[in-house]
Amino acid sequence: MPGLIQSIERSSAVLRLLAAGRLRVKEIADALDLPKSTAHSILRTLEHIGFVEQDTQSARYRLGRGLLELGDGGLDLNELRGRALNWADALAARSGEEVRIGALRDDRVVVVHHVFRPDDSMQSLDTGRLLPPHATALGHVLLAYNAPAVEVAVRAGLEAYTRRTLTSPRDLARALGETRNRGWSLSVEEWEAGRGGIAAPVRSFGGLVVGAIGISGPVERLCDTRRQARPALVDHVTATARAVTRDLSGPRA
């Protein structure tokens, strides 16, 4: 049997103490019979992920808002959008395609932010739009790292939007496995005929996937003659996803 992880036990104890009231580092160390340096390290880590906060005037610690966000996937959608805005604009400029940032909400992908393709063509704003997770590149990324969401999607029925939509649970599972192995997803005419998408995961603390960012456009621009994603575009998307991940994993404001 694997052993227990002492640092997690201690972190849990710290949170239970703070649930009863605000405390200083020494008070927490004394209560748990820990060296003050150990208690301080635990508190700094919990503060980094948003589970505790420190009052700058009293130096006392209290429970943080990150705990309240656990039921919503651990990240506010406005924060995801705010951290990714500049990166999404840069991705649109580099790729020449429209950019969407998405997150799972219930059984759909909600478009958190949408950047138009950088040309003079007529386009419609998709922010707030709900997309089918099994038929889009954004959705494939989000499902690939969320087994319960896959079960929900399968139970709801894998609706066919085109002849290339993945309507078989086995085919969907295979595609999600490929997404995890590559670290990015490709969707070719699964939702709309003639169009495709490339997307990559956006992660928060500890590697948790909280969203996806990707580009979409005509298949002939995103793919080669073998309907494989153009490597340069994949590089742009994955580099942007890593950049947003770095921002999200940094200290919260």
Side-chain angles (χ1 to χ4, degrees):
M1 292 290 291
L4 301 180
I5 300 176
Q6 188 179 52
S7 60
I8 295 179
E9 289 185 327
R10 288 174 171 174
S11 297
S12 174
V14 169
L15 292 174
R16 290 176 186 274
L17 283 175
L18 292 177
R22 303 183 179 195
L23 298 169
R24 294 188 175 89
V25 177
K26 187 178 185 305
E27 293 170 330
I28 293 173
D30 290 345
L32 299 178
D33 195 23
L34 293 174
K36 186 177 177 180
S37 60
T38 300
H40 191 220
S41 295
I42 293 172
L43 286 164
R44 287 194 62 187
T45 302
L46 292 172
E47 184 179 22
H48 174 68
I49 63 176
F51 282 8
V52 305
E53 299 169 353
Q54 185 181 33
D55 186 291
T56 55
Q57 293 184 338
S58 68
R60 293 178 181 271
Y61 285 87
R62 60 178 180 266
L63 296 180
R65 63 186 177 91
L67 289 172
L68 301 177
E69 297 170 353
L70 287 177
D72 294 325
L75 185 72
D76 181 83
L77 295 185
N78 288 327
E79 182 175 0
L80 173 60
R81 180 178 182 274
R83 298 278 185 140
L85 280 176
N86 292 336
W87 298 112
D89 288 342
L91 176 57
R94 287 196 300 268
S95 67
E97 303 296 344
E98 60 183 305
V99 174
R100 292 184 181 85
I101 301 167
L104 277 178
R105 282 298 177 264
D106 298 324
D107 60 346
R108 286 290 184 267
V109 177
V110 59
V111 178
V112 176
H113 185 57
H114 178 209
V115 181
F116 286 157
R117 185 172 58 257
D119 59 25
D120 296 327
S121 62
M122 291 292 294
Q123 300 175 66
S124 300
L125 187 64
D126 277 354
T127 300
R129 189 177 185 183
L130 299 178
L131 310 178
H134 69 287
T136 57
L138 291 175
H140 286 185
V141 166
L142 296 169
L143 291 179
Y145 302 96
N146 191 328
V150 176
E151 295 178 2
V152 171
V154 171
R155 284 200 304 268
L158 304 176
E159 181 180 350
Y161 296 93
T162 72
R163 63 183 182 83
R164 297 182 62 91
T165 303
L166 303 178
T167 57
S168 160
R170 179 178 298 178
D171 291 341
L172 179 62
R174 185 182 300 111
L176 299 183
E178 291 176 356
T179 295
R180 286 190 296 271
N181 290 336
R182 295 184 303 203
W184 54 273
S185 67
L186 171 66
S187 173
V188 179
E189 295 189 298
E190 294 179 31
W191 185 37
E192 296 176 292
R195 294 183 63 81
I198 302 170
V202 171
R203 300 175 185 270
S204 185
F205 307 106
L208 179 68
V209 174
V210 294
I213 187 167
I215 60 175
S216 63
V219 172
E220 62 269 19
R221 290 211 300 260
L222 268 58
C223 301
D224 60 22
T225 56
R226 296 177 295 116
R227 289 180 170 256
Q228 299 298 308
R230 298 187 185 276
L233 295 178
V234 172
D235 290 344
H236 289 325
V237 171
T238 54
T240 301
R242 289 194 297 269
V244 179
T245 292
R246 286 194 298 271
D247 276 2
L248 284 173
S249 300
R252 296 191 176 194

